[in-house]
RNA sequence: GCGGGCGUGGCGAAAUGGUAGACGCAUGGGACUUAAACUCCCUCGGGCGCAAGCCCAUGCCGGUUCGAGUCCGGCCGCCCGCACCA
């Protein structure tokens, strides 16, 4: 008998699949289509276990659907623009392009041995001019359609990377990649009008039924819809042109509790005042140093400065409120100005306490005492209004807000406004390694779009990274060009696009990766939408929200059909691959981390020193708790790696990689191999055991099919173990065992495709197992003639009864009452109640 | 603070309201072997008992139900997301 040698057979099958072109997606009108997509990787140069898990999940789905008769599209590409390439060029020299394409070649070389059913003929990288040129064409169409515009904006400036960051890319006041403290800077930036779609992007979430509830909720919170009142205070002693101050509030019902007004340091009034008042200028400058992020503002102490200006309360001309500049007011939200009601808002309370401002309650709890500090009940909670002006005395906050808006509108005090937290998407980046924004700046014509026939605007190759900032900006010739409109001398836009733009439409490009237009209508119409999208939860907000917007923008500009405005029908977010961390300490007590391969039985292989074991965490290079998939493939084969990441943990949960688990996975595959060889050698057989084995096989078909359909791959794996155990113990005829083994090869095929092909061929299967029709469970074999019914007494299992499966309940009752244990317990008394759930259980109540 | 999720053996985990712990790992025992590796078989939540069996057990407390890991209410703990959004 030959040994299980994955290194040889895996390469052999991969070559055979390639030669037969079976994974090349074809538009086939005779078949239903299925588009399965995993979030494409950034080409860092090495694949990691997270990739293996992600792509194996997609591969399981793709191969399963292929067997089920679908025409499957399962593509792969590279999210190839971005700063790491420039950082590498800065640190090590060389060119981002060489670095990136080198990494892509390396990673492709590591992915191919996994045996994924990918249509590699569709592969592209977002840094290919053929791709980003089409992206530029769409940018021009979107510019034309009014979906892109330029404005001056206060932006997050990363002083290390010398680039602008989106608010979403600022974490803890620091750049998400560089970690540098973010500063405020004003620049002219390009923006997508995603906020125009805020309402629609929010409403459409309800229709994404096959998305995780969690992701939809996160997006809804991010979009942040609120209903409130916008109105104007008239001002007293304000500079010319500022006789009104527009404010927005979500709690107009607390208007009678107002004790001050406050404006953002970026509010036009604050900007005016800082020019004339050095103290205000100092204060505003200090506020700006905090940064633009909400989180930074949150963490800062509430501070303000009285401007000396006052506003008149809209309900009472004589009632005047002071106007402060306050560091916690965001210019981007509402009007950048508020009124403060310290009795019912924690921030306002802190502020009022600090500056000695009045705190007047507007409402009180229905029961109990008025709490110390601010009183902020849920809006859905009913309270008693003591200083209300609209609606009932006792009402919920929600009702009070609605009544207050209606009252104010009727009395000419402002109007109801729906606001969103979502802001427009700033896409300009002052970087080299990105898609150039295809416009030129002409002294006479202003901003002029490049002509489409001049696309792509290619990145120049002759650049250096010996100084920070954008090499395009200091390029001697690239930025000089002629104006497409007047033909005069002009300058190219040197900003490039946020890499989230690249990943916002790659799924659409995969439907026609070589087309001369961004998409091909017939192809997009056939393949869209993505039936199953798989990726990490870390993209729950940005990437997915941007993609949803972009699909709408592509539809508006004629690049996607209407049905594709929600591009991902189903979304699955997989968990991480984790590993224990092994640590020792150096002579100064500083932690030293060790790779799992250097540790055995809790000690360092090299020195015998005992390591401290820190519970599992996401694999990360800094903690050295990483396992290189290439080593696993070398030692055990790709099927073992694939089998391991599919077993044990539910796919949405984290899975812990253990060496023991990997070995166990490998042992099992070798065992399947042995069982198959055993059968091939003609061993065994008594036909009397055939039916039992066939029943087990068909139950497995039924359960595994359901498990794969429901993304419960760990359960499918468990069922395969069960079937293997049954098969290896079965005394059935060789023919029946051969048939069962063929079924098992098919059921295992999505997870361990190479072994499955080997077994399939060995068992006399025709063609590739991946192309064989998925087995169908015979309903007749799923039911047993007899069932074992547990007998409970008062809900506790005490005995059991074996009866024909369709025995009437009355018969079962008789048998139950004749049961020895039941007779003993009843001791001659009749039961209080006898419950028979046919085919399930019997419960005797005494 | 708000929103969401999750708490089951030594571990990863199963369980349409119906026999809690499938399946795997680890553990212990055995077979094979000169010995080991490989492989195969058995054991494997806790307690009492010679045994048949009984009791306890799904974070804690209550409730609904013939029957609750599952449903409801209240706690405790952990994880994730959002976070002065006016």
């Amino acid at each position: 008998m030959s040994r299980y040698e994955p290194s040889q057979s895996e390469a052999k099958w991969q070559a055979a699949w390639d030669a037969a072109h079976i994974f090349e997606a074809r538009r086939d009108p005779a078949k239903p289509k299925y588009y399965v997509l995993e979030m494409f990787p950034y080409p860092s140069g090495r694949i990691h276990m997270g990739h293996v898990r992600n792509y194996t999940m997609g591969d399981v789905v793709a191969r399963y659907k292929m067997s089920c008769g679908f025409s499957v599209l399962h593509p792969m590409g590279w999210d190839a623009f971005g700063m790491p390439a420039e950082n590498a060029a800065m640190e090590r020299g060389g060119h981002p392009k060489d670095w990136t394409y080198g990494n892509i070649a390396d990673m492709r070389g590591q992915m191919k041995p996994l045996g994924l059913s990918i249509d590699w003929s569709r592969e592209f990288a977002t840094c290919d001019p053929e791709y980003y040129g089409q992206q530029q064409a769409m940018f021009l169409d979107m510019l034309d359609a009014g979906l892109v515009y330029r404005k001056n904006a206060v932006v997050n400036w990363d002083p290390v990377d010398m680039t602008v960051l989106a608010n979403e890319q600022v974490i803890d006041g620091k750049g998400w990649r560089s970690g540098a403290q973010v500063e405020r800077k004003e620049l002219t930036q390009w923006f997508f009008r995603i906020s125009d779609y805020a309402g629609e992007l929010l409403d459409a979430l309800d229709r994404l039924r096959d998305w995780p509830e969690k992701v939809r909720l996160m997006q809804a919170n991010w979009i942040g819809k609120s209903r409130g009142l916008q109105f104007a205070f008239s001002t007293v002693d304000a500079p010319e042109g500022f006789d009104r101050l527009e404010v927005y509030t979500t709690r107009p019902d607390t208007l009678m509790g107002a004790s001050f007004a406050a404006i953002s340091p970026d509010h036009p009034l604050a900007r005016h005042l800082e020019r004339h008042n050095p103290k205000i200028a100092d204060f505003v400058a200090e506020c700006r140093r905090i940064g633009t992020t909400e989180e930074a503002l949150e963490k800062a102490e509430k501070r303000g400065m009285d401007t000396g200006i006052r506003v008149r309360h809209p309900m009472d001309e004589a009632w005047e409120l002071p106007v402060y500049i306050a560091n916690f007011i965001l210019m981007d939200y509402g009007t950048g100005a508020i009124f403060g009601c310290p009795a019912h808002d924690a921030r306002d309370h802190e502020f009022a306490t600090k500056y000695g401002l009045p705190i007047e309650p507007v409402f009180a709890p229905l029961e109990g005492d008025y709490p110390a500090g601010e009183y902020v009940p849920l809006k859905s909670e009913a309270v008693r209004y003591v200083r209300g002006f609209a609606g009932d005395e006792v009402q919920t906050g929600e009702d009070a807000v609605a009544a207050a808006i209606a009252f104010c509108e009727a009395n000419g005090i402002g109007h109801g406004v729906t606001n969103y937290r979502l802001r427009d998407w700033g896409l300009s980046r002052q970087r080299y390694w990105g898609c150039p924004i295809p416009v030129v700046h002409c002294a006479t014509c202003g901003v002029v779009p490049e002509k489409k026939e001049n696309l792509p605007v290619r990145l120049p190759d002759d650049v250096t990274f010996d100084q920070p900032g954008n090499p395009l900006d200091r390029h001697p010739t690239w930025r000089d060009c002629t104006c497409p409109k007047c033909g005069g001398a002009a300058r190219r836009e040197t900003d490039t696009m946020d890499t989230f733009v690249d990943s916002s439409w790659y799924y659409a490009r995969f439907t026609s990766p070589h087309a001369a237009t961004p998409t091909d209508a017939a192809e997009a119409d056939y393949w869209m939408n993505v039936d199953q999208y798989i990726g990490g939860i870390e993209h729950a907000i940005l990437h997915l929200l941007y993609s949803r917007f972009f699909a709408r923008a592509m539809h508006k500009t004629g690049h996607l059909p209407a049905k594709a405005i929600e591009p991902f029908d189903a979304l699955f977010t997989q968990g991480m691959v984790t590993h224990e961390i092994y640590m020792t300490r150096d002579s100064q007590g500083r932690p030293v981390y060790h790779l799992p391969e250097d540790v055995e039985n809790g000690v360092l292989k090299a020195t015998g020193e005992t390591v401290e074991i820190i519970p599992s965490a996401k694999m990360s290079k800094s903690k050295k708790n990483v396992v290189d998939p290439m080593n696993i493939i070398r030692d055990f084969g790709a099927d073992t790696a694939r089998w391991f990441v599919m077993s044990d943990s539910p796919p949405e949960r984290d899975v812990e990689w253990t060496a023991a688990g990997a070995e166990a996975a490998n042992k099992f595959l070798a065992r399947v191999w042995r069982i198959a060889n055993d059968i091939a050698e003609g061993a065994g057989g008594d036909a009397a055991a055939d039916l039992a084995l066939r029943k087990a096989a068909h139950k497995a078909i039924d359960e595994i099919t359901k498990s794969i359909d429901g993304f419960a791959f760990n359960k499918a794996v468990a069922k395969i173990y069960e079937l293997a155990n049954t098969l290896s113990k079965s005394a059935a005829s060789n023919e029946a065992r051969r048939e069962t083994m063929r079924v098992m090869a098919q059921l295992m095929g999505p997870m361990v495709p190479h072994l499955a092909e080997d077994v399939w061929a060995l068992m006399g299967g025709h063609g590739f197992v991946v192309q064989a029709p998925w087995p169908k469970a015979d309903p007749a074999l799923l039911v047993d003639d007899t069932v074992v019914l547990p007998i409970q007494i008062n809900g506790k299992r005490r005995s059991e009864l074996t009866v024909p499966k369709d025995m009437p309940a009355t018969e079962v009752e008789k048998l139950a009452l004749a049961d020895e244990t039941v007779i003993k317990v009843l001791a001659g008394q009749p039961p209080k109640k006898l419950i028979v759930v046919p085919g399930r259980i019997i419960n005797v109540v005494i």
Side-chain angles (χ1 to χ4, degrees), chain A residues 332-458:
Chain A
D332 291 326
Y333 192 82
T335 61
I338 61 145
F339 73 81
C341 176
H344 304 296
D345 183 287
R347 295 158 298 169
D348 296 348
H349 192 273
E350 186 183 335
F351 192 82
T353 308
K354 183 163 184 172
Y355 294 103
L357 297 159
I359 300 169
E360 294 284 351
V362 173
F363 49 77
L366 291 183
E367 288 165 25
D369 296 329
Y370 191 90
E374 72 278 359
Y375 171 49
V376 190
L378 293 176
K379 269 190 191 172
S380 54
E381 196 176 306
V383 294
R384 183 178 308 282
Y385 278 78
V386 293
R387 305 193 72 201
F389 59 90
D392 300 326
E393 189 191 345
V394 171
Q395 59 185 335
T396 65
E398 278 153 8
D399 292 341
V401 168
I405 291 172
F407 178 92
C408 289
E409 284 183 341
N411 289 277
I413 308 167
H415 52 281
V417 167
T418 299
N419 242 322
Y420 294 94
R421 177 186 176 278
L422 182 69
R423 290 169 231 165
D424 277 337
W425 171 14
L427 67 119
S428 301
R429 295 293 181 273
Q430 290 64 49
R431 305 298 297 179
Y432 165 77
W433 194 234
C435 172
I437 293 172
V439 299
V440 303
H441 300 274
C442 171
T444 39
C445 310
V447 177
V448 184
E450 184 56 86
K451 286 184 181 156
K452 274 203 180 166
E453 57 262 37
N454 293 337
L455 299 183
V457 175
R458 281 172 186 268

Side-chain angles (χ1 to χ4, degrees), chain A residues 781-797:
Chain A
L781 292 171
L782 295 179
V783 285
D784 292 312
D785 296 336
T786 59
V787 287
V788 177
L789 293 181
I791 300 178
Q792 293 182 332
I793 291 168
N794 287 345
K796 286 198 168 148
R797 184 187 173 283

Side-chain angles (χ1 to χ4, degrees), chain A residues 600-657:
Chain A
E600 204 169 5
N601 299 323
V603 298
L604 280 180
K605 281 183 193 169
T607 63
E609 192 183 351
T610 305
V611 297
E612 193 179 326
I613 297 173
I614 299 168
S616 262
K618 180 180 181 170
M619 286 189 177
S620 89
K621 277 181 193 158
S622 64
K623 297 279 192 288
K624 288 203 177 173
N625 61 334
V626 290
V627 174
D628 190 331
M630 289 302 101
N631 293 344
I632 302 300
I633 292 174
R634 183 196 62 212
D635 296 344
F636 300 116
D639 281 345
T640 290
R642 296 171 56 121
W643 187 251
F644 182 91
V645 293
M646 290 296 101
S647 42
D648 282 343
S649 288
E652 67 277 13
R653 230 182 279 180
D654 292 351
V655 64
E656 178 170 342
W657 185 275

